[in-house]
Amino acid sequence: MTQIGLTVEKPETFRGDAVARGVFDDTDLSRLGVPGLTDQAKKLRFKGGAGESFFAFDRFGSPSKHLLLVGLGKRSEYGPAAARAAAATAARRLRERFASTALFALEAEAAGRRAPVVLSALAEGTLLGNRRFQKYVTDKERRFEGLSGISLRVARKSAVLQEALGLGKVLADATGYARELATEPANVLTPEFMAEEARKLARRHGFELKVLDEKACAKLGMGAYLAVARGSHHPPRFIHLRYRPKGAKFHIAVVGKGLTFDSGGISIKPADGMGAMKSDMSGSAAVMGAMAAIGALKPKVAVDAVMAMCENMPGGGAYRPGDILTSMSGKTIEVLNTDAEGRLTLADALCYVQRQKPDAVVDLATLTGACVVALGPDFSGAMGNDQPLLDAVLAAAKESGDDLWQLPLPAAYRKYIKTDVADVANMSRIRWGGAITAGLFLSTFVDEGRPWVHLDIAGPALRDDDGGDAHRAEGSGVGVRTLVHLVLSKAGGPRKA
Ligand code: BES
Ligand code: MN
Ligand code: ZN
């Protein structure tokens, strides 16, 4: 476990392994008290821009062995996003020096009124930048635990900043947890494995928990979800976590797509990149991460969290193209492609969770490659039936650092998922606008008048490159922080406010 705390100690006297010092593009380096720094920075073309960093010296003596300068960009633009990225850069680069203890002087207070938000972001970036998924790397030479002790420097300590640090820690832990789940391979993370994780969460935080097996799901009529599960040897598990605080001001339902692996089923995917489909449960990972944070923060918002966990495989029992399924809602679905399976599992999960009569429903799903084509690898797509809820989710995303962009849900496109032999088809009959037609399919299963937002997180769920506080070849934990900020906003704002 990494220890992190606030300190007012000066970089000049810090006795740990390393100091990471943030500088803006207008910072006068000659005033930092390090001989030759201005010349060295000039030589390396270091201008203090966002994303820049360099080791100013390696002294291998005391007080500290390494000094890392980290660009913070423009002072006027300094906010949580820049802070998160700078802190992650610092944590990442200090791994190169095998540093164990470090002082981070990253100018939280330069953000003025936004200092608490920036401090939370610094804690998130530091802690997430510092952790790596290495549990299966047995070569000790390749394994490094990262920083064990980090002091975040502030000019003055305060209860507000202390609280902000606490929030940042919770968000980092929750996001890190979601990352681990998303990165965990499908031979380990099965539906039952996830159910066991939910049991641990429920025990730790006092949530109510229901885990439904095939029989229980069949009894409820979940014909769409169960069809997807049938091609796999791993039995499905439908997970429902319930958080009911006293004096709740709002009731939200969160639904996460939980495909522990998506081979495509009978409509099998090409071999190239299929391994990435171990992360097709990133929606459920985000929900689990958010619930971990909610358990720690205890906001006055009632939450139902639902994850229909299963694996999409082409086994002998698999469902096929042409099959007609009866969903829990009673609506029938013609299967045109067994690789459009997420929406089938979500159809039943949405129906199930709405029986709890929530004020709002938010689902997160690695739903379509089309969304990645539309928005690229960083952005999730947001769709929904209620602009105020969409605006609240977009605002929460902005605060949290998750990139999110709204897509339309035009009723005119409904014709593309019509079929002659059932109520709706699971795939569009045209190639274009696949993220939207998937959203429209889901909207078929949302009750009239119930505010609902769908987040297609297919792009950012699994990372190909390092960026921000996320790492290549790992799940990103996208959605965790958005969900937590959304819930906090419904509880009357973050506790620190
Ligand atoms: N899990 C995939 C979507 C996906 C693609 C997630 C890339 C992450 C990265 C989903 O189940 C899927 O296969 N969708 C199909 C739908 C199509 C058959 C209508 C797709 O996007 O191709
Ligand atoms: Mn699929
Ligand atoms: Zn899928």
Side-chain angles (χ1 to χ4, degrees):
M1 269 302 275
T2 309
Q3 298 292 320
I4 189 166
L6 299 182
T7 183
V8 293
E9 183 166 5
K10 292 211 155 54
E12 298 85 293
T13 57
F14 180 68
R15 294 194 156 271
D17 294 332
V19 169
R21 194 153 190 171
V23 298
F24 294 102
D25 63 357
D26 67 355
T27 302
D28 178 1
L29 298 183
S30 72
R31 295 182 54 182
L32 298 187
V34 181
L37 194 58
T38 311
D39 288 344
Q40 207 182 345
K42 207 168 196 166
K43 199 168 151 202
L44 294 170
R45 317 286 195 264
F46 177 87
K47 297 189 172 69
E52 289 180 54
S53 67
F54 82 103
F55 279 102
F57 63 77
D58 293 287
R59 278 212 312 212
F60 304 107
S62 65
S64 63
K65 301 187 187 82
H66 310 285
L67 172 64
L68 178 72
L69 285 208
V70 184
L72 301 177
K74 283 205 183 333
R75 201 178 286 271
S76 59
E77 289 168 12
Y78 194 52
R84 215 177 265 114
T89 298
R92 229 189 267 290
R93 296 222 57 191
L94 290 183
R95 288 178 89 86
E96 296 168 17
R97 297 295 195 270
F98 295 89
S100 174
T101 54
L103 176 80
F104 279 26
L106 296 176
E107 303 283 352
E109 282 124 326
R113 194 173 45 78
R114 298 175 83 197
V117 198
V118 165
L119 189 81
S120 292
L122 285 175
E124 292 167 38
T126 303
L127 292 169
L128 289 168
N130 191 46
R131 68 192 277 176
R132 222 47 61 87
F133 190 89
Q134 292 187 315
K135 60 193 284 196
Y136 298 108
V137 177
T138 62
D139 180 353
K140 285 210 174 63
E141 287 289 301
R142 286 182 55 203
R143 258 177 101 143
F144 170 58
E145 298 306 326
L147 296 161
S148 61
I150 303 157
S151 304
L152 292 182
R153 183 179 192 272
V154 291
R156 264 206 288 135
K157 286 199 204 184
S158 68
V160 173
L161 291 180
Q162 198 64 47
E163 185 108 24
L165 172 66
L167 178 63
K169 273 205 264 192
V170 167
L171 290 172
D173 279 350
T175 305
Y177 177 49
R179 283 181 186 184
E180 262 155 47
L181 293 174
T183 315
E184 198 68 66
N187 62 321
V188 175
L189 196 149
T190 59
E192 177 51 34
F193 180 102
M194 197 71 149
E196 191 51 41
E197 288 296 309
R199 285 180 199 111
K200 285 186 210 158
L201 264 190
R203 268 197 299 275
R204 188 169 323 133
H205 299 296
F207 300 141
E208 293 166 50
L209 172 68
K210 265 192 211 154
V211 177
L212 309 183
D213 62 9
E214 297 115 299
K215 260 195 167 155
C217 293
K219 233 181 169 163
L220 289 169
M222 296 183 175
Y225 164 50
L226 288 176
V228 176
R230 269 199 300 270
S232 169
H233 285 298
H234 295 297
R237 292 289 181 267
F238 190 98
I239 303 170
H240 178 191
L241 282 163
R242 239 163 153 257
Y243 167 64
R244 289 286 184 281
K246 282 204 186 76
K249 296 184 165 71
F250 194 79
H251 178 185
I252 188 165
V254 290
V255 178
K257 173 173 170 181
L259 268 290
T260 60
F261 187 71
D262 177 15
S263 70
I266 296 297
S267 315
I268 200 160
K269 288 180 182 294
D272 269 2
M274 199 199 275
M277 285 302 118
K278 70 173 181 176
S279 66
D280 209 20
M281 34 55 69
S282 295
S284 60
V287 166
M288 292 284 280
M291 289 308 281
I294 286 163
L297 297 169
K298 305 201 185 320
K300 287 199 185 309
V301 173
V303 185
D304 282 287
V306 162
M307 294 154 270
M309 306 302 302
C310 66
E311 185 179 39
N312 188 21
M313 292 289 270
Y319 76 133
R320 336 153 176 73
D323 284 2
I324 297 176
L325 314 173
T326 302
S327 68
M328 182 176 176
S329 69
K331 289 202 167 87
T332 58
I333 305 164
E334 185 186 16
V335 177
L336 298 182
N337 188 317
T338 64
D339 199 11
E341 84 299 335
R343 63 196 75 181
L344 298 173
T345 68
L346 291 168
D348 283 341
L350 286 168
C351 177
Y352 174 95
V353 85
Q354 288 175 101
R355 295 199 180 167
Q356 303 290 320
K357 305 282 172 229
D359 299 320
V361 180
V362 178
D363 78 71
L364 299 93
T366 47
L367 205 61
T368 66
C371 196
V372 194
V373 173
L375 298 176
D378 291 350
F379 277 77
S380 301
M383 288 147 265
N385 60 359
D386 184 81
Q387 197 57 44
L389 180 64
L390 274 159
D391 289 340
V393 175
L394 289 163
K398 196 147 236 170
E399 179 143 9
S400 76
D402 288 332
D403 290 322
L404 187 61
W405 196 257
Q406 186 175 342
L407 301 175
L409 273 187
Y413 287 7
R414 274 187 197 282
K415 60 176 175 281
Y416 299 127
I417 51 172
K418 284 217 162 99
T419 155
D420 293 326
V421 294
D423 296 333
V424 64
N426 82 327
M427 194 182 73
S428 168
R429 62 181 164 79
I430 63 165
R431 282 178 63 184
W432 320 113
I436 293 169
T437 46
L440 283 169
F441 176 91
L442 296 181
S443 75
T444 315
F445 299 90
V446 175
D447 300 340
E448 189 66 41
R450 184 163 331 271
W452 156 77
V453 166
H454 158 57
L455 302 179
D456 192 332
I457 59 171
L462 188 69
R463 303 307 306 178
D464 285 332
D465 293 301
D466 291 346
D469 57 27
H471 311 293
R472 61 176 274 140
E474 291 187 23
S476 65
V478 61
V480 172
R481 286 174 271 189
T482 295
L483 282 179
V484 176
H485 280 291
L486 177 69
V487 167
L488 291 177
S489 76
K490 295 297 181 188
R495 294 181 309 169
K496 63 184 165 32

